[in-house]
Amino acid sequence: MTIRDWFRPPRHLLALFVAATVVPALALGWMAWLSLGQDAALDRQRVQDTLDAAAGRVASELQRRLEDQSKGLATLSRDGTAQLRDDAVLLTIAGGRLTVWPTGRLLYYPPDAIITARREPPAVATGLADSETPRDVAIEAAAALEFQARDPEAAAAAFRRAANARNPAVQAQALVGLARCLRKMNRSQDALGVYDRLAQLGPARVEGVPADLVARHAGCALLALLKTSELQARARELLLDLQRPRWVLDRASFEFYAGEARGWLPADAVPLPPPARLALADAAGAVESLSRTADSASGRGWTTLWQRGCPLLVVWQNVPGGRIALVTGPSWLERPAAVWTSEKLLVALTDTNAHAHLGQPERLPKPVAIASAADTGLPWTVRVASADSGRVPSMLARNRRLLFGGFAVVGLLIVVGGFLVARALARELAVARLQRDFVSAVSHEFRSPLTSMKHLIEMLDQDAVPGEDRRRQYYRVLNAEADRLHKMVEDLLNFGRMEAGKAEYRFARLDVRALAGQVASDFAGQLAPPDRLEVSVAGPPSFVDADREALARAIRNLLDNAAKYSPPAAPIRLGIDEGAGTVSLSVRDEGAGIPAVEQKMIFTKFYRGADATRSGVKGTGLGLATVQHIVRAHHGDVRVDSAPGRGSVFSIVLPHAKEPMS
Ligand code: ADP
């Protein structure tokens, strides 16, 4: 196989095209792909680095805030004007006393604690443990009458006297006893009156419980027995006061009284306190008990708590003889969280039990940077993601698109360029091949008449031709062969002129029917048998503006082909049809027909059909190219309608002459 064979379309050309374009384009694409992969890895690394740095920043910001908070606790506990958020309390545990600030924030207090609920400095003690019940002689005497002598009336009188004591605690005990005796005597209304009086007593406590709470609860219980409608309003007020909260109670008392009040009310009459408030009260209890056991030497610190599904933070500092602790809900994180949001960071904080104190760790978009609690000394593990991830294209992503676009354009150019070059090459090679075939065909066409002419001339020259008749016949043959050669040379020269654009057409008004008839009768003379040509061109004149000689040559070429490419006696029909503004001259034969693929090529110069070459039909491949040149010069069109085995129809369609020729 030679190199030229490689350029022979279409199989090798396809291979060449693939080798020259597709392979480099694929290589480029592959490189682009690799580069994109590297870019993506770099991009991921960059994002991860940024997030790691952000996680570091978040962690140190939290550390700083915790440090500041714990250092400032002592100042905070002294400063009565400072503000605490709604979900925070400050506990001071010193000398076994617990001071809670601000008051009224905890629903209940740690049991057994000496509590000082501080309003404004100085602290005001309202401790649970301050409520030791004083022993009083009058009370004991009244109780003896009630329980031993079983004389409620006398006991009531004794309690009534004792109720005039100066000590409010004694007064409270006396009133409780009095009401009890009255109830035993079925004097419910009087008992209610005594409870009302007891409720007015102020801060006095009965068995550690505020006297007014005892009185209001006992009043409600009595109303419940009496089944009066007043109960609902009183129970509701009692519950609301408990939840406000109005009293300093331990958890057990709070839950007991709240439970009692709810029992007297329809369900949902008073909403339950929010879990965060309960959680804060629980947390205060936890912190207080922790502080009792805590090593008071270890300066300050922080920890997280998880109570009733609510996150809490405890920041503490040891002070001589005790500890100050801030117990706070999630509001403590609001301010730094706002800063992180403005920096487009998504931050999630989880405690060691994986409870989320801020954000939703499982919802963070990937990638996520983690600063663990163990590494940072924080009470939380910090997780940071970018709020922008996947939305704003990074520099690298833009570069990547540019690169990809660039590669795509270059690849496309290579493919298109390669395709164009390959096509041009294929055409050139095809023309070269046709030319080569043409040269051999023409030489063959010339050689055979020349050979026979040379032979005849030699015989005539040597007087080897016997008889005058035979000599004359030889001269006629010589003349005919010379004509053929002359015609061939003329045809070649004419085609050369047409190709060079130098062909001159002398247009004149002529009747195409007359011209066709004349060409047909000339041509029929050369046919054997002449009646093989069926001509139907009769009719009123059909004028066209044409070069008589050129148009005649075109018609002749078509007739010539019809004769060449059909069996020797098969009929050939020449006809004329009038169209809208056109006249169509058709040559029909019953030859082998032309395959569809060849129909596209037969008007190309030098092109010869496969059948024509194989069967040795003489020709140069210029006939139809010449016809097309001529017809186009006449603003007309050549058409072919053919199929293998069905014969062919070639038509020359010309426009009618429009105006009279000058
Ligand atoms: P040539 O006849 O010298 O080969 P043409 O340009 O006249 O060249 O024709 C080109 C080709 O078209 C022919 O080689 C032949 O294959 C095909 N062809 C032309 N006319 C006919 C026809 N009437 N019937 C079948 N094939 C034809």
Side-chain angles (χ1 to χ4, degrees):
M1 185 182 288
T2 65
I3 288 189
R4 286 187 66 165
D5 290 334
W6 274 98
F7 287 88
R8 194 161 290 159
R11 190 158 49 88
H12 300 304
L13 200 68
L14 189 71
L16 182 75
F17 175 72
V18 168
T21 61
V22 177
V23 171
L26 282 178
L28 265 182
W30 183 63
M31 278 161 60
W33 185 252
L34 281 184
S35 155
L36 289 186
Q38 277 171 357
D39 266 10
L42 266 177
D43 214 10
R44 276 198 298 278
Q45 189 56 50
R46 188 189 60 85
V47 170
Q48 190 64 51
D49 288 351
T50 315
L51 283 179
D52 285 346
R57 268 203 323 277
V58 167
S60 45
E61 171 69 12
L62 285 169
Q63 264 157 347
R64 189 184 61 74
R65 281 178 180 268
L66 285 170
E67 289 281 348
D68 289 355
Q69 185 73 73
S70 63
K71 274 187 209 151
L73 285 179
T75 321
L76 192 64
S77 77
R78 280 194 302 274
D79 181 1
T81 58
Q83 293 287 320
L84 281 187
R85 287 171 188 264
D86 285 351
D87 61 354
V89 284
L90 189 70
L91 308 179
T92 309
I93 300 130
R97 291 178 77 88
L98 171 65
T99 306
V100 181
W101 178 69
T103 45
R105 191 154 287 182
L106 295 185
L107 286 174
Y108 43 81
Y109 292 79
D112 308 329
I114 301 170
I115 294 176
T116 308
R118 198 185 82 168
R119 291 194 191 92
E120 296 294 329
V124 179
T126 55
L128 285 174
D130 285 353
S131 51
E132 286 268 305
T133 311
R135 286 174 63 87
D136 186 85
V137 189
I139 298 286
E140 280 170 7
L145 283 174
E146 185 186 353
F147 296 113
Q148 286 154 23
R150 298 186 189 276
D151 182 354
E153 217 159 306
F159 278 128
R160 205 183 294 276
R161 277 192 304 278
N164 292 326
R166 286 237 185 97
N167 186 338
V170 177
Q171 273 183 38
Q173 277 185 71
L175 289 176
V176 169
L178 175 58
R180 199 169 50 231
C181 293
L182 289 173
R183 283 178 62 181
K184 283 181 182 162
M185 288 151 49
N186 286 332
R187 289 169 56 189
S188 302
Q189 286 306 321
D190 292 339
L192 282 175
V194 173
Y195 286 138
D196 285 348
R197 209 178 129 199
L198 179 61
Q200 310 298 321
L201 259 191
R205 284 180 170 256
V206 180
E207 316 267 333
V209 179
D212 57 344
L213 173 58
V214 172
R216 285 170 64 181
H217 169 256
C220 286
L222 187 52
L223 288 175
L225 275 181
L226 298 176
K227 296 196 169 54
T228 57
S229 57
E230 214 190 327
L231 171 66
Q232 294 251 326
R234 285 218 194 183
R236 191 180 142 78
E237 265 313 302
L238 176 63
L239 185 55
L240 287 174
D241 274 351
L242 275 166
Q243 290 186 184
R244 216 156 255 148
R246 181 184 163 107
W247 298 287
V248 173
L249 298 173
D250 62 20
R251 181 172 172 172
S253 305
F254 174 85
E255 282 173 353
F256 168 74
Y257 286 106
E260 287 274 291
R262 275 192 195 281
W264 290 317
L265 289 169
D268 302 331
V270 175
L272 287 168
R277 286 195 71 194
L278 294 165
L280 191 66
D282 289 345
V287 169
E288 196 265 351
S289 57
L290 208 89
S291 298
R292 281 164 191 273
T293 55
D295 168 16
S296 59
S298 55
R300 52 204 157 78
W302 37 76
T303 186
T304 54
L305 290 174
W306 188 260
Q307 300 281 353
R308 296 180 189 252
C310 300
L312 289 142
L313 168 69
V314 181
V315 183
W316 50 265
Q317 182 193 18
N318 285 340
V319 288
R323 170 176 284 188
I324 306 170
L326 174 78
V327 182
T328 173
S331 74
W332 191 85
L333 288 165
E334 268 169 18
R335 206 172 299 164
V339 176
W340 300 326
T341 307
S342 73
E343 290 172 357
K344 300 222 182 303
L345 293 177
L346 299 173
V347 177
L349 302 179
T350 49
D351 63 21
T352 42
N353 295 319
H355 293 128
H357 285 233
L358 178 74
Q360 295 167 303
E362 68 287 351
R363 292 250 179 109
L364 290 181
K366 299 226 155 35
V368 176
I370 302 177
S372 75
D375 293 342
T376 57
L378 288 170
W380 311 278
T381 289
V382 178
R383 284 183 175 75
V384 177
S386 166
D388 280 343
S389 73
R391 262 199 303 128
V392 179
S394 64
M395 240 347 222
L396 270 166
R398 266 202 299 277
N399 287 349
R400 188 160 56 190
R401 272 207 298 280
L402 270 180
L403 189 74
F404 194 70
F407 272 123
V409 170
V410 170
L412 196 73
L413 284 179
I414 287 180
V415 170
V416 171
F419 172 73
L420 291 178
V421 168
R423 200 177 61 165
L425 205 66
R427 283 190 179 163
E428 284 305 310
L429 288 168
V431 169
R433 186 166 55 83
L434 289 177
Q435 258 167 343
R436 192 188 55 204
D437 294 350
F438 168 74
V439 170
S440 76
V442 168
S443 353
H444 188 254
E445 290 275 298
F446 275 76
R447 192 181 296 137
S448 39
L450 281 174
T451 314
S452 61
M453 283 169 84
K454 188 167 183 302
H455 178 64
L456 291 180
I457 290 169
E458 272 172 9
M459 283 179 72
L460 288 169
D461 186 40
Q462 291 162 10
D463 278 337
V465 184
E468 186 58 20
D469 286 352
R470 178 65 68 89
R471 264 203 301 280
R472 282 191 182 283
Q473 188 193 353
Y474 276 25
Y475 282 126
R476 272 200 303 278
V477 171
L478 276 174
N479 195 25
E481 288 297 296
D483 276 353
R484 238 183 85 196
L485 281 176
H486 180 249
K487 184 182 165 292
M488 266 164 53
V489 171
E490 274 302 303
D491 281 353
L492 287 176
L493 289 176
N494 273 334
F495 188 79
R497 273 198 288 274
M498 282 188 299
E499 277 281 274
K502 287 186 182 152
E504 282 183 15
Y505 295 98
R506 279 185 224 95
F507 287 95
R509 177 71 41 88
L510 56 87
D511 175 13
V512 75
R513 289 177 185 273
L515 178 71
Q518 198 179 331
V519 174
S521 70
D522 288 353
F523 187 73
Q526 303 166 20
L527 283 178
D531 62 354
R532 189 183 163 196
L533 181 62
E534 297 168 16
V535 184
S536 48
V537 296
S542 193
F543 289 108
V544 293
D545 293 327
D547 180 315
R548 172 178 292 276
E549 203 183 310
L551 193 54
R553 196 180 324 133
I555 300 170
R556 217 174 10 253
N557 279 357
L558 293 186
L559 290 171
D560 215 19
N561 280 350
K564 275 200 299 188
Y565 297 115
S566 49
I572 301 167
R573 294 186 183 86
L574 173 66
I576 286 190
D577 292 303
E578 298 289 339
T582 57
V583 56
S584 166
L585 192 147
S586 60
V587 177
R588 180 186 299 266
D589 65 54
E590 294 179 4
I594 307 165
V597 273
E598 289 196 352
Q599 288 180 26
K600 291 182 199 140
M601 328 270 284
I602 52 180
F603 294 98
T604 313
K605 63 180 177 183
F606 309 135
Y607 181 81
R608 305 209 64 215
D611 259 3
T613 341
R614 203 180 320 115
S615 58
V617 178
K618 288 183 182 171
T620 55
L622 292 182
L624 289 178
T626 308
V627 174
Q628 193 174 52
H629 258 294
I630 293 171
V631 174
R632 284 193 177 160
H634 286 72
H635 309 293
D637 199 10
V638 202
R639 292 168 195 163
V640 58
D641 177 14
S642 178
R646 262 206 312 113
S648 314
V649 184
F650 281 87
S651 314
I652 293 175
V653 184
L654 294 173
H656 272 138
K658 283 192 188 101
E659 296 148 20
M661 271 231 157
S662 53

